[in-house]
């Protein structure tokens, strides 16, 4: 569990070392910080999404950009290694995989730093590295997308916990047998790091009054299994503004009767 595995970052989190040759759209992340650059990006992305307006493109961009945060959390939590993610070194590339639109993130410069082994020193180092990412990488991008799209910034920050809570649950299973030199489980340290960010930080790194990652997870019945539960999305992802213009089953905007209609639609579609 020492060192940084770039191949794994690409495979698991879509952080690449080289550009894709089949990209439908390529933009350097810092270009989105200008109103002109953000508008151009959102308009083109919205066309690919078949979106009714650019708010959906802004929400989808933030949800997808959360892969960069997850990659950094993983690297720090599992390998005790951080890598810099300045917007000037990130290329966002949109591509299609088996008909599905996806983003990949090419990092053009790799600046890597190993963390300290001492627990208290490591905690301070972890907070410093993650706070720098959220304040200097995620926040400027999110605030620019909010300003240009007109979608409230809280709705954009709100896209991250949905992805995080789902992925951290998967990573906990994936890392269940991975041990660290100090005898701890890699899964435990990764999750402890994330819990610390959620519960111990205020909103300053995010430019908010409160921490947007510190959310209550709500559960609803799994439409495929009445005995199981699934997480409700933290905020609406605006899927209903794209493609077929339908709501997700886990959308927090749905009333109970409307969720039942979505359930029936999904179950009927599954029979074909």
């Amino acid at each position: 569990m020492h060192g940084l595995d770039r191949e794994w970052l690409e495979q698991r989190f879509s952080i690449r070392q080289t550009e894709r040759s089949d990209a439908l759209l390529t933009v350097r992340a810092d270009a989105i910080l200008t109103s002109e650059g953000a508008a151009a990006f959102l308009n083109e992305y919205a066309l690919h999404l078949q979106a009714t307006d650019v708010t959906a493109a802004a929400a989808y961009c933030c949800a997808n950009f959360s892969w960069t945060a997850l990659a950094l959390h993983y690297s720090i939590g599992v390998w005790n290694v951080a890598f810099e993610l300045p917007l000037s070194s990130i290329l966002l590339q949109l591509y299609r995989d088996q008909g599905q639109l996806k983003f990949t993130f090419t990092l053009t410069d790799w600046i890597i730093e190993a963390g300290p082994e001492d627990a208290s020193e490591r905690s301070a180092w972890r907070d410093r590295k993650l706070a720098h990412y959220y304040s200097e990488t995620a926040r400027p991008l999110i605030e620019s997308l909010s300003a240009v799209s007109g979608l409230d910034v809280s709705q954009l920050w709100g896209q991250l916990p949905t992805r995080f809570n789902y992925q951290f649950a998967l990573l906990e299973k994936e890392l269940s047998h991975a041990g660290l030199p100090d005898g701890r489980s890699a899964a435990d340290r990764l999750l402890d790091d994330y819990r610390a960010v959620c519960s111990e930080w205020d909103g300053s790194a995010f430019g908010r009054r409160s921490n947007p990652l510190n959310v209550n997870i709500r559960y609803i019945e799994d439409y495929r299994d009445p005995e199981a539960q699934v997480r409700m999305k933290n905020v609406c992802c605006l899927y209903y503004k794209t493609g077929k213009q339908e709501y997700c089953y886990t959308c927090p905007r749905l009333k109970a009767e409307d969720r039942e209609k979505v359930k029936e639609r999904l179950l009927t579609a599954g029979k074909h």
Side-chain angles (χ1 to χ4, degrees), residues 27 62 79 89 96 133 138 149 152 160 169-170 197 199 212 230 233 255:
V27 61
C62 290
W79 301 322
S89 295
R96 199 174 293 276
Y133 166 84
S149 70
D152 191 274
L160 275 62
L170 291 180
V197 170
S199 64
V230 293
K233 290 186 175 180
K255 296 179 181 178

Side-chain angles (χ1 to χ4, degrees), residues 210-238:
S210 60
N211 184 339
L213 303 185
N214 188 13
V215 300
N216 293 319
I217 302 175
R218 294 172 289 173
Y219 291 89
I220 55 175
E221 177 188 300
D222 187 335
Y223 74 90
R224 296 156 299 192
D225 179 3
E227 300 300 317
Q229 289 189 317
V230 293
R231 297 175 192 82
M232 187 185 295
K233 290 186 175 180
N234 181 54
V235 297
C236 178
C237 69
L238 304 190

Side-chain angles (χ1 to χ4, degrees), residues 230-249:
V230 293
R231 297 175 192 82
M232 187 185 295
K233 290 186 175 180
N234 181 54
V235 297
C236 178
C237 69
L238 304 190
Y239 174 70
Y240 75 94
K241 289 189 173 187
T242 69
K244 297 180 180 179
Q245 299 179 26
E246 297 171 337
Y247 280 89
C248 304
Y249 176 71

